[in-house]
Amino acid sequence: MDGDQLILREPVTAEYVLSVFREQHRLYFLLDFDMLPREELTFESTVEEWREQMDLLDWRPLGRAQNELWEINLSDEEWKQVLEPEDEKTLGGVCELIARHATAPVIREETFFGKPCRPASAFLTIRALLQEAGADVSEIAPSTDMHAYSYQYGRTFLSTIANLSPGTLPRPAIMNGDSYRGADLSLLWMTGTLPFALMFSLGMRSPWFMLIPGVFFLMYLLFRWELQRLGGKQLKFGELKTFRDLAELIAAEAPVVRA
């Protein structure tokens, strides 16, 4: 089947929009602070509280970012009416505004051998969402290791895929980040010390100063080798390993719509 034809979109409710904001809040805290947020967002939360907890932008770029997230086209004036003044406006007004205009992907129920199968339906929807994000899905099967895609298409995993069933994804974690940072820092120090090493080597007619950037270059190569050995930088979700694991988890909680 063509993955583009598998994405079914349904109008959203204010309750669903709030659940998405809560999921963004949860994933943001887990990834950035390795902890759950102390307070859960509610319809009564002020826009100021929402922005402070999520480190969000001022009202104008925030509204435009929500346009992009929900694939809607509201004017700055419409956003200002629900975002300003931030200490008086609540998240409930934001959710209701979005719900009047937005749709979201849902799982289309597919039948196999004459019977509906929720996990398979969820898998096809997940694959279609990755295809929509630009991934080559020709090699993705239920048994495929999702870590080969989860970091490169992290935004899709953390938004549209997570939003199929808000609150369902396990704790996310960046894997092999130390090797990635080590390679970056080694390259930074190498490029930073190279001009001075060249200057001193030429001025004092001694090549020994070139050992300093050379050591950092060697460290860079070692970190890159280690990163390659570990499979690159990865975004991991708990104990999930394959797309089958992900599909079965989401299918157990997400609503499934008959086409």
Side-chain angles (χ1 to χ4, degrees), residues 68-84:
E68 181 179 353
L69 174 65
W70 294 98
E71 298 182 9
I72 54 181
N73 188 30
L74 300 179
S75 67
D76 288 345
E77 185 58 34
E78 288 175 290
W79 282 115
K80 186 175 183 180
Q81 290 177 9
V82 297
L83 294 173
E84 287 287 310

Side-chain angles (χ1 to χ4, degrees), residues 33-51:
F33 307 111
D34 194 27
M35 61 179 288
L36 291 169
R38 297 186 183 91
E39 298 180 8
E40 189 173 58
L41 296 173
T42 69
F43 284 133
E44 288 72 37
S45 300
T46 65
V47 171
E48 182 179 32
E49 291 169 340
W50 177 42
R51 285 186 53 217

Side-chain angles (χ1 to χ4, degrees), residues 124-145:
L124 291 174
T125 300
I126 291 168
R127 192 172 67 172
L129 290 171
L130 286 170
Q131 184 182 56
E132 186 179 60
D136 179 2
V137 301
S138 60
E139 300 296 324
I140 297 181
S143 59
T144 302
D145 189 334

Side-chain angles (χ1 to χ4, degrees), residues 62-159:
L62 175 57
R64 293 174 181 177
Q66 293 302 313
N67 274 345
E68 181 179 353
L69 174 65
W70 294 98
E71 298 182 9
I72 54 181
N73 188 30
L74 300 179
S75 67
D76 288 345
E77 185 58 34
E78 288 175 290
W79 282 115
K80 186 175 183 180
Q81 290 177 9
V82 297
L83 294 173
E84 287 287 310
E86 63 176 16
D87 59 341
E88 297 178 9
K89 299 296 184 177
T90 66
L91 204 51
V94 177
C95 293
E96 290 172 1
L97 175 64
I98 293 172
R100 290 198 294 269
H101 300 274
T103 61
V106 294
I107 298 173
R108 180 200 302 265
E109 184 180 82
E110 301 288 344
T111 58
F112 298 85
F113 305 105
K115 295 182 179 181
C117 180
R118 291 175 64 93
S121 301
F123 166 73
L124 291 174
T125 300
I126 291 168
R127 192 172 67 172
L129 290 171
L130 286 170
Q131 184 182 56
E132 186 179 60
D136 179 2
V137 301
S138 60
E139 300 296 324
I140 297 181
S143 59
T144 302
D145 189 334
M146 57 184 279
H147 297 148
Y149 298 86
S150 59
Y151 183 77
Q152 183 178 358
Y153 298 98
R155 182 175 181 180
T156 301
F157 276 86
L158 294 168
S159 57

